[in-house]
Amino acid sequence: MRLALPLALGLLLFVAVAAPAPAQEGGALLPRVVDEAAVPGVMAKAVDGFILPGYRNLAETTKALSEATAALCKAPSAASLEAARSAFSGVVQSWSAIEIIRLGPALEQNRFERFLFYPDRKSTGLKQVQAILAKGDESATQAETLKAKSVAVQGLGALEYALYGTGAETLSGKQGDFRCRYGLAISENLDTIAGELLAEWDKPDGIQAAWKQPGPGNPLFRDNKEAATELLGVLVHGVEMVKDQRLRPFYAGAVDGKRDPGHPRLAIYWRSVNTMPSVSTNFRALQKLFDTAGMESLLPADSRSIAGSIDFLFKALINAADRINGPIDAALADERQRRTLDFIALNTADLTDRLNRDFGGAIGLGAGFSFADGD
């Protein structure tokens, strides 16, 4: 089904009607509480059904990328360059499916920023990558020395430039030797980080145990409500990340009554044409976490329709993102696709509200609580 912008208001009306009004007694709102008995099971399903499989897939694709890049360096050709680029896109997809877990091991040792430095608002990272290529800095061609450098030169953004940026055509011949060895060091670095993330989550007595067993002695969650709040926070912040860091940098819609012309070169992965496929995967990942963990079971029985309206929004956003699958500059030059971007922005904001206000309120977060504010 193709959803056009005029349906946006209808969609918002649908979810507004679908969500139940808070129960009242004598004119006062009744307190809502999370179904605490369901929390450990929900957290366990989030770990076993989403987080661990996500990191396993990431480790598999980074290994394939490292192997494809090594093959390119050993025998450069148009075919081996295409294989390395295809493997890069595979890692973009697997990373986009798990990057919403921006906590714990992902924050330790700057792993998240080392894997993906974005947004690069002042093109600081781009300039550093270009300097490495211009100078032929050999210390950037070994993963061990590369990881000691700026986070901006050792992750997906740097590798995308190496594979797709100015001069990338040299990779199909011997003249691209240094560039390829730099790309290989980045690939190996990504593979190492992916392996570390999987290993940390795979430890039975590590962070997965903390997620699965909330309680007084737990270093992360003293009770079930704290655990449920953390999981919901992953979803809220994940949606906000898509809205603020993936969409807004290259297209803000109408600003002060004037249509934003768009800024395609500020879009993530614009060189490799992975911008909207990555956004679509972000939405799919968020929906998968919501459904796989069984978040609906945390809601009071008379509020379960909230989960239905959230799922409806996820599906609509995924379908819309999938319709923009070419270069982002071409999308911004096409009025129909711009309307689709407007639709995505509008309903992403509504999805944030549904999760933060409606779901959060239904499981007992007090009035005025905001994940965005960290209250």
Side-chain angles (χ1 to χ4, degrees):
M1 179 180 69
R2 297 177 65 84
L3 292 172
L5 180 62
L7 288 181
L9 294 179
L11 173 59
L12 292 175
L13 178 60
F14 173 88
V15 293
V17 171
Q24 296 189 20
E25 182 176 284
L29 293 179
L30 293 177
R32 301 298 190 127
V33 293
V34 63
D35 183 352
E36 296 205 25
V39 172
V42 167
M43 300 297 286
K45 285 184 284 188
V47 172
D48 296 335
F50 179 82
I51 297 175
L52 282 172
Y55 281 130
R56 289 192 188 105
N57 187 45
L58 181 66
E60 290 172 3
T61 57
T62 54
K63 180 181 179 181
L65 173 62
S66 182
E67 292 172 348
T69 310
L72 171 63
C73 296
K74 184 177 180 179
S77 68
S80 57
L81 174 56
E82 181 57 32
R85 286 174 169 174
S86 178
F88 171 83
S89 292
V91 172
V92 169
Q93 287 299 300
S94 62
W95 172 251
S96 300
I98 196 62
E99 67 176 315
I100 62 172
I101 305 299
R102 192 169 183 170
L103 47 82
L107 298 183
E108 296 167 1
Q109 300 177 30
N110 292 323
R111 289 189 182 104
F112 192 98
E113 286 76 15
R114 288 169 56 212
F115 205 100
L116 175 64
F117 177 73
Y118 183 84
D120 184 9
R121 293 184 176 88
K122 297 182 179 179
S123 298
T124 302
L126 174 61
K127 293 172 184 175
Q128 292 175 351
V129 170
Q130 291 172 328
I132 286 174
L133 293 171
K135 296 176 182 177
D137 181 1
E138 286 292 335
S139 66
T141 63
Q142 299 295 322
E144 280 302 310
T145 48
L146 177 64
K147 73 178 184 180
K149 293 182 178 293
S150 164
V151 296
V153 304
Q154 56 178 291
L156 285 174
L159 183 56
E160 184 186 40
Y161 188 84
L163 291 173
Y164 294 90
T166 303
E169 67 279 358
T170 63
L171 289 169
S172 60
K174 292 183 179 180
Q175 63 269 40
D177 176 68
F178 174 80
R179 190 182 193 111
C180 194
R181 288 187 291 116
Y182 173 43
L184 178 57
I186 299 173
S187 300
E188 292 173 342
N189 183 58
L190 293 172
D191 192 34
T192 297
I193 296 171
E196 292 171 351
L197 289 167
L198 177 58
E200 289 298 315
W201 275 97
D202 213 19
K203 292 177 182 176
D205 59 347
I207 188 170
Q208 69 160 280
W211 269 53
K212 293 177 179 179
Q213 301 165 15
N218 189 310
L220 296 181
F221 312 121
R222 293 167 296 179
D223 55 40
N224 288 324
K225 187 173 181 179
E226 285 189 0
T229 301
E230 174 78 347
L231 184 56
L232 181 56
V234 170
L235 291 162
V236 172
H237 291 304
V239 176
E240 289 180 333
M241 179 270 291
V242 176
K243 176 171 63 75
D244 297 334
Q245 296 183 15
R246 297 296 182 265
L247 299 171
R248 187 171 293 169
F250 75 86
Y251 183 65
V255 180
D256 296 329
K258 297 180 180 179
R259 196 72 178 272
D260 178 16
H263 312 276
R265 294 200 172 195
L266 295 181
I268 194 170
Y269 310 128
W270 68 270
R271 291 183 176 86
S272 60
V273 196
N274 276 305
T275 302
M276 293 310 294
S278 172
V279 168
S280 177
T281 300
N282 287 151
F283 284 132
R284 280 186 166 85
L286 289 159
Q287 183 182 36
K288 182 179 179 181
L289 176 57
F290 186 80
D291 291 341
T292 299
M295 295 284 286
E296 181 180 353
S297 66
L298 300 180
L299 293 165
D302 64 349
S303 298
R304 295 290 170 89
S305 63
I306 293 173
S309 66
I310 288 170
D311 252 326
F312 184 89
L313 277 169
F314 273 130
K315 291 174 184 176
L317 287 164
I318 291 167
N319 289 336
D322 283 345
R323 295 202 302 275
I324 305 176
N325 54 14
I328 205 64
D329 53 346
L332 290 170
D334 182 275
E335 185 59 30
R336 187 173 186 175
Q337 295 192 71
R338 288 170 74 95
R339 289 198 299 269
T340 301
L341 287 168
D342 289 337
F343 174 90
I344 293 171
L346 178 67
N347 288 286
T348 299
D350 186 58
L351 179 57
T352 302
D353 199 42
R354 292 278 154 188
L355 289 164
N356 194 15
R357 183 198 64 193
D358 296 349
F359 199 105
I363 66 172
L365 298 181
F369 180 93
S370 171
F371 286 100
D373 296 337
D375 295 338

